[in-house]
Amino acid sequence: GLREANLLPELRVPDVRLVQDMRIRTLHRGRTIDDLERSLSASRTEPGGSAAERDRRAMQAHFYVATPEEAEGFITRVRD
């Protein structure tokens, strides 16, 4: 699941609302890992569309730059 992909417990930042779903190559914004684990099907598949559309979604997920609000938990960890 999504939680297991976040391997190092001591580095976990709680309540992050930006989750990359490697199974379907999608970036979920505005929802936490816990929320997504409860709501997403374990057998979910990558959204359809052309190969170019799937590649565009994957690139968006890989190269997305978080907003300051989305990165706040990480910034706090680095500063502490």
Side-chain angles (χ1 to χ4, degrees):
L2 296 171
R3 179 163 297 290
E4 290 80 9
N6 197 359
L7 298 175
L8 299 172
E10 63 274 11
L11 297 179
R12 289 183 183 157
V13 176
D15 300 320
V16 172
R17 298 189 177 278
L18 186 65
V19 179
Q20 185 170 359
D21 188 338
M22 296 303 292
R23 174 178 284 231
I24 61 172
R25 301 178 350 150
T26 301
L27 185 66
H28 299 278
R29 296 179 63 205
R31 298 174 71 191
T32 66
I33 286 175
D34 293 330
D35 179 34
L36 291 166
E37 285 282 353
R38 285 188 299 272
S39 63
L40 294 175
S41 168
S43 60
R44 64 193 177 278
T45 58
E46 187 173 352
S50 68
E53 289 170 330
R54 289 190 305 273
D55 287 345
R56 182 188 53 76
R57 277 193 303 274
M59 289 296 123
Q60 179 186 15
H62 288 295
F63 295 113
Y64 177 79
V65 176
T67 66
E69 293 80 19
E70 291 167 333
E72 181 59 35
F74 295 96
I75 294 168
T76 301
R77 278 248 198 233
V78 170
R79 287 184 182 152
D80 290 345

